[in-house]
Amino acid sequence: MFGHSPKPLTGPFTLAFGTGSTWRKEDPETLNTGLVDMVKEALLAGYRHLDTAELYNTEREVGEAIKQSGVPVSEIYITGKVFTMSDIKGAFDRTLHRLGVGYIDLYLLHHPYFGNTNADLQAAWVELEAIFDSGKVGAIGVSNFTEAHIETILETARIRPACNQIELSPYLQRTELREYHKKHDIQTFAFSPLSPIVRATPGPLDTRDCGGDNFDGEGSDAGPPAGFE
C-alpha cells in the first residue's frame, strides 16, 4: 500500500479533480480504463487533489491512476465520501482497499440522511470520529448538509466537521450557509462550481446581467436548485 501523511489543503491541493457525475458507474469492482487515463493525465498536468466517493464507484480507477502516474501519493490530497447508511467502518476499509492506500486525507459523510432521526445522524458522525481516532484519515467532514444538519451533529460531536462540501457557483452562492460555516470554523468546499457555463441561465455570468454582487443563490429565482454530488 502507498504511504501517506497528513497535509494542509493549500497550494496545489486547493483545486480538486472530481470523479463523480459523468464517471459514476454501478459496479465498484469493474475498471473504467478511460477514467484511469483521465485521472492519470490530470495528475501529470499538475492536479494534486483527487475527489472520489463510495457512491461514484470510481475508487479503483483513482488508485490505479495514482499507481500508473508515478506521482508519489505523499504529494496527493485524497478526498473520499461514505454513502452507506450502516457499517461506515466497513465502507471506509473498502475505500482504502480499492484506492490501494492505507490513509486518506479527508473523509466525508456524503449526505445527511443516515437514518430517520437526529440520533441516527449523530451516530453516523460518531463512527467517523472513530475512524479519525484510528489515524487513517487526516480530517473528517460532511457534504450536502444544511445548517440544521450541522447543528444536529454539533450537539454531540467531539470533533467539529472540518468542512461542508456543497454545490456552490456564481448562480448558487449560499451566502447564509457560508456565513454559518465561517461562524463555526467550518471550511466551505464547492462542487460543480463551473456548472453555470453549461446549464444555468440567466444569472450573474450573463453579459446582459452583471449584477452578481447582489445575487444570492438561495432565493426562489436563483437559477438551478442545489444538486447532489
Side-chain angles (χ1 to χ4, degrees):
M1 288 189 175
F2 301 129
H4 224 128
S5 59
K7 58 184 74 71
L9 190 64
T10 57
F13 306 127
T14 303
L15 182 64
F17 187 87
T19 60
S21 301
T22 301
W23 298 105
R24 190 179 302 172
K25 57 186 174 66
E26 294 299 320
D27 186 353
E29 301 307 325
T30 61
L31 188 69
N32 182 334
T33 56
L35 178 55
V36 172
D37 290 341
M38 287 287 290
V39 176
K40 181 173 64 175
E41 288 301 315
L43 288 169
L44 295 177
Y47 279 88
R48 290 296 182 268
H49 181 181
L50 301 178
D51 183 291
T52 186
E54 177 191 27
L55 175 65
Y56 307 157
N57 288 324
T58 56
E59 295 162 331
R60 279 197 66 201
E61 286 81 357
V62 170
E64 183 63 26
I66 293 172
K67 187 186 305 181
Q68 291 185 19
S69 73
V71 176
V73 74
S74 60
E75 297 180 6
I76 302 170
Y77 193 100
I78 300 175
T79 294
K81 309 183 195 78
V82 60
F83 192 80
T84 299
M85 296 181 69
S86 61
D87 189 24
I88 292 176
K89 173 61 165 58
F92 178 74
D93 289 340
R94 290 189 292 274
T95 288
L96 293 183
H97 175 73
R98 290 170 185 148
L99 287 169
V101 301
Y103 174 99
I104 62 175
D105 297 282
L106 178 64
Y107 198 52
L108 309 179
L109 291 181
H110 204 157
H111 63 94
Y113 308 111
F114 283 81
N116 299 314
T117 68
N118 287 350
D120 292 333
L121 181 56
Q122 291 165 344
W125 185 251
V126 167
E127 291 195 60
L128 247 69
E129 290 178 324
I131 291 171
F132 178 82
D133 291 340
S134 75
K136 294 182 178 180
V137 64
I140 53 176
V142 297
S143 181
N144 297 292
F145 274 49
T146 65
E147 293 179 29
H149 297 133
I150 296 173
E151 283 291 333
T152 295
I153 282 181
L154 292 179
E155 287 177 5
T156 58
R158 290 188 297 110
I159 302 169
R160 184 189 310 274
C163 69
N164 185 17
Q165 188 185 83
I166 56 173
E167 184 173 11
L168 190 66
S169 75
Y171 287 76
L172 191 65
Q173 296 185 8
R174 317 292 288 274
T175 304
E176 291 183 7
L177 183 54
R178 288 189 290 114
E179 287 298 322
Y180 175 84
H181 291 165
K182 186 182 299 184
K183 176 182 176 182
H184 291 278
D185 196 25
I186 296 170
Q187 291 191 63
T188 300
F189 285 11
F191 69 76
S192 300
L194 301 181
S195 61
I197 294 174
V198 295
R199 81 180 196 197
T201 188
L205 295 189
D206 293 351
T207 56
R208 62 185 175 183
D209 180 5
C210 297
D213 288 346
N214 296 320
F215 181 84
D216 187 338
E218 296 175 3
S220 60
D221 297 323
F228 180 85
E229 186 165 316

